Amino acid sequence: MNTGRIMAIFEKDLKEFTRNAMLFTTILLPIILAFMYSRMGGEALPAMLVYLIVGVAFSAILCSGIMTMMAEENEKNTLRGLMQSPASMLDILAGKSLVVVLMTAVSLIISFLIMDVAFEWSIASIGGLILLALFFLNVGIAVGLTVDSVATTSVYLLPIMFIFGFTPMIEMVVPDSDHFIRRLTDYLPLYQNISLHGEETTVPLLILLAWTLVSFLYVTWAFRKRMSDEVK
Amino acid sequence: MDRVIILENVKKHFGNEEALKGMTVEIAKGEVFGLLGPSGSGKTTTIKILTGELGPSEGRVEVLGRSHESFNSTQYVKSLGILSDNSALYERLTVKDNLALFRKLYNTEQTKVDQVLKDVGLEKHIDKRVKDLSKGMKQRILLCKAVLHEPEVLFLDEPTSALDPGTTESIHAMLLKIKAQGTTIMLTTHNMDEATALCDTVAFLNNGTITDMGSSESLRQAYKTNEIHITYRNGTTRHIQRTIENRSQLEKALFDPEAVNIESDYPTLGEVFKKVTGKELV
């Protein structure tokens, strides 16, 4: 990897991101939700609502952003031009990841300020947040590497957003807490992040770590598949 | 001869289909080599093998002293310029932003970008978004992108396909300038005028096989016949062999007021291609 080339791709993609209405407006989604929740009144916002905003930001900006950018490069044949330059695939992915990480951070900070998030951020909860970010980033990169068009990304994005981003919403769809779907959702990553604000942190962290490892395996498989497709 | 590109009995299979059937070519430093052939003849496959996008199934491939196994190295990539029929630009970004990206990736000076833009006459369009440019302008920007790092070898796959004559002329002028600087150029084309104007050597590629190769002039010489074609006012034509025995007939035709056109059979490159392959170049 080369810092100069990563920064060149970061600068190019930052411009592309801000000029792409579809991508740029995703930043507003968590902010609008945060604004709505902050108007609900009452005591401090529960962790579940805060993490719902985190889930929305990570799935709609971090995951969807990198997925869409990669798919668009594929669709418009610009990725071939980058691959024929001295930039490696890792330089390209790093440059793009920096853009979506920056945009997600901006959106989350504004959302947290609007919601006036009051609870303590322990090392475990911050670590959990980083693992969750890596999970969504890896999934976004993996899908982006395997799809050929922006339109195809929505096939992947909708289930990813619903299952991993809007996880607490599943409780509204399946109200029975003993239902097997509800018992399965207890193992989804976002619930581990919520649990990290309780007393037990080891198990949720291990489950989160397992999800992140699975996402790394997925992105490694997608990367190898992509690179083997490049030279046949 | 300082050989920059060597292809030796190169074969390429896609499943059961054989796209290249043992191609052998050597290209010298500073030479402009044209690969001529109809669609599906193997031109793009050859370029893809040379640029490392595809690997050969059999045979020896060497560019700038490197074998194809090391074509993915950064140093090799830096020494190539590539303009293919599916090269693309970032439409939302300006010309300046597009070229700035590749200038930074290749670590090239801004003055070089200014120079190549001036060479293709687009220096006044630097702040325009690519989506607002014509097809011909985009193609010229793509050529700028391919040459701004001063590559040692330039691969051009159909560089003027479907472009207007003005743009084609501008691209040819730039390529002749690049050629004069000693860059080795390999181009594929359907366009015989382009091949005649630019190439030192042309090779006819048909069904994955090189059927003939040489300078445009030598190929035309090799395939000329000894016939004289006479066209008469009423639209009829007559072909006479240029021999001593036919001298009186030829002299008569020369002074015949009904003969409106007399020409020797000196085939164009397209006609030579048809003679060699039995196919039109489309």
Side-chain angles (χ1 to χ4, degrees):
Chain A
M1 292 220 280
N2 176 291
T3 317
R5 291 198 279 265
I6 292 171
M7 289 317 290
I9 289 161
F10 168 76
E11 283 174 37
K12 184 274 292 179
D13 276 320
L14 190 61
K15 282 180 183 165
E16 280 255 281
F17 194 103
T18 53
R19 287 172 197 178
N20 183 337
M22 190 185 93
L23 284 179
F24 197 56
T25 48
T26 59
I27 298 174
L28 299 176
L29 206 60
I31 297 171
I32 291 167
L33 273 178
F35 188 75
M36 284 162 60
Y37 291 149
S38 69
R39 299 275 142 177
M40 285 166 66
E43 292 177 10
L45 286 169
M48 186 178 282
L49 278 185
V50 174
Y51 276 101
L52 184 63
I53 299 290
V54 171
V56 170
F58 282 5
S59 58
I61 310 171
L62 198 62
C63 185
S64 157
I66 194 135
M67 196 189 287
T68 309
M69 286 197 290
M70 288 299 294
E72 193 171 306
E73 295 260 19
N74 265 330
E75 187 176 309
K76 297 189 173 168
N77 266 326
T78 45
L79 188 62
R80 174 105 23 247
L82 286 180
M83 294 295 290
Q84 287 169 342
S85 79
S88 67
M89 187 57 103
L90 286 176
D91 293 333
I92 297 166
L93 292 175
K96 288 183 187 301
S97 298
L98 281 178
V99 174
V100 287
V101 166
L102 176 71
M103 291 299 166
T104 310
V106 168
S107 181
L108 266 185
I109 289 167
I110 296 171
S111 303
F112 283 178
L113 288 173
I114 291 170
M115 288 196 298
D116 195 17
V117 176
F119 57 72
E120 289 272 314
W121 288 95
S122 62
I123 291 173
S125 62
I126 291 169
L129 208 60
I130 293 168
L131 287 176
L132 189 71
L134 284 172
F135 168 78
F136 277 104
L137 192 62
N138 287 340
V139 171
I141 292 171
V143 175
L145 283 168
T146 46
V147 298
D148 288 328
S149 69
V150 176
T152 322
T153 58
S154 58
V155 176
Y156 294 87
L157 192 58
L158 283 174
I160 289 169
M161 281 183 85
F162 183 71
I163 297 168
F164 298 108
F166 293 79
T167 312
M169 294 284 192
I170 295 172
E171 290 181 21
M172 291 158 79
V173 182
V174 187
D176 180 6
S177 60
D178 288 331
H179 196 282
F180 82 97
I181 293 177
R182 282 289 297 276
R183 289 207 298 272
L184 278 178
T185 56
D186 284 345
Y187 294 96
L188 288 176
L190 206 60
Y191 275 141
Q192 313 316 311
N193 290 87
I194 295 167
S195 302
L196 286 172
H197 288 273
E199 286 180 6
E200 172 59 47
T201 56
T202 312
V203 174
L205 265 179
L206 284 175
I207 296 172
L208 256 177
L209 199 63
W211 277 107
T212 314
L213 283 175
V214 168
S215 73
F216 267 114
L217 291 176
Y218 182 28
V219 80
T220 307
W221 169 81
F223 184 80
R224 285 191 177 157
K225 183 176 181 296
R226 176 80 209 196
M227 296 315 284
S228 69
D229 286 349
E230 288 295 327
V231 181
K232 278 183 179 167
Chain B
M1 184 176 71
D2 194 1
R3 295 172 305 173
V4 170
I5 298 173
I6 300 168
L7 290 160
E8 205 174 278
N9 198 26
V10 173
K11 294 180 183 177
K12 179 66 189 173
H13 309 278
F14 294 105
N16 292 329
E17 194 190 329
E18 200 171 29
L20 293 180
K21 299 169 183 170
M23 180 189 266
T24 299
V25 163
E26 288 187 354
I27 303 174
K29 184 172 167 51
E31 186 177 352
V32 180
F33 186 92
L35 205 51
L36 276 62
S39 301
S41 58
K43 302 189 300 287
T44 302
T45 302
T46 309
I47 295 262
K48 284 187 173 178
I49 287 174
L50 291 167
T51 56
E53 251 187 90
L54 291 173
S57 305
E58 282 178 51
R60 176 180 165 221
V61 181
E62 203 177 290
V63 181
L64 294 164
R66 285 173 185 273
S67 69
H68 69 88
E69 288 92 353
S70 62
F71 280 0
N72 57 359
S73 78
T74 307
Q75 209 51 43
Y76 179 68
V77 168
K78 274 184 172 178
S79 60
L80 304 186
I82 303 165
L83 171 58
S84 68
D85 57 346
N86 58 11
S87 294
L89 297 161
Y90 295 96
E91 298 270 326
R92 287 189 204 95
L93 303 184
T94 62
V95 171
K96 190 181 182 176
D97 291 337
N98 268 278
L99 293 179
L101 168 67
F102 289 93
R103 179 181 70 75
K104 288 172 193 167
L105 292 179
Y106 284 102
N107 203 15
T108 309
E109 296 296 315
Q110 178 61 38
T111 49
K112 186 62 197 168
V113 175
D114 300 337
Q115 182 59 50
V116 289
L117 274 173
K118 203 176 164 192
D119 287 343
V120 293
L122 289 176
E123 69 273 29
K124 288 177 185 158
H125 300 273
I126 193 159
D127 292 318
K128 275 191 182 168
R129 286 196 187 190
V130 169
K131 67 178 179 183
D132 298 325
L133 301 179
S134 68
K135 191 183 175 196
M137 284 173 165
K138 286 178 192 172
Q139 191 71 354
R140 282 185 274 168
I141 300 297
L142 283 168
L143 182 60
C144 291
K145 186 188 113 179
V147 301
L148 64 84
H149 57 291
E150 296 179 328
E152 288 179 66
V153 184
L154 184 58
F155 291 104
L156 306 165
D157 194 5
E158 311 272 356
T160 58
S161 175
L163 294 181
D164 62 272
T167 305
T168 301
E169 201 177 306
S170 156
I171 288 177
H172 285 179
M174 185 159 176
L175 291 177
L176 287 170
K177 191 175 173 185
I178 294 164
K179 177 189 175 181
Q181 289 162 357
T183 306
T184 308
I185 302 174
M186 183 176 193
L187 67 92
T188 70
T189 185
H190 289 134
N191 185 337
M192 290 299 156
D193 294 335
E194 182 164 270
T196 309
L198 298 175
C199 301
D200 300 310
T201 308
V202 291
F204 294 147
L205 188 63
N206 187 33
N207 288 331
T209 308
I210 289 194
T211 49
D212 215 335
M213 187 159 51
S215 71
S216 150
E217 204 54 39
S218 68
L219 286 168
R220 291 175 69 195
Q221 286 280 351
Y223 287 91
K224 74 175 186 194
T225 60
N226 215 17
E227 277 186 345
I228 300 288
H229 305 302
I230 304 149
T231 309
Y232 293 95
R233 203 179 299 278
N234 63 6
T236 57
T237 55
R238 193 174 162 207
H239 312 288
I240 303 171
Q241 284 292 317
R242 190 159 47 180
T243 56
I244 282 291
E245 296 81 45
N246 292 338
R247 184 178 174 174
S248 63
Q249 285 188 66
L250 288 166
E251 279 177 354
K252 193 178 164 193
L254 199 61
F255 296 103
D256 185 349
E258 289 301 305
V260 290
N261 188 42
I262 300 174
E263 60 184 15
S264 62
D265 181 29
Y266 192 56
T268 62
L269 214 46
E271 286 163 343
V272 174
F273 186 85
K274 197 177 173 185
K275 280 185 182 181
V276 174
T277 65
K279 286 182 181 172
E280 293 281 357
L281 241 179
V282 283

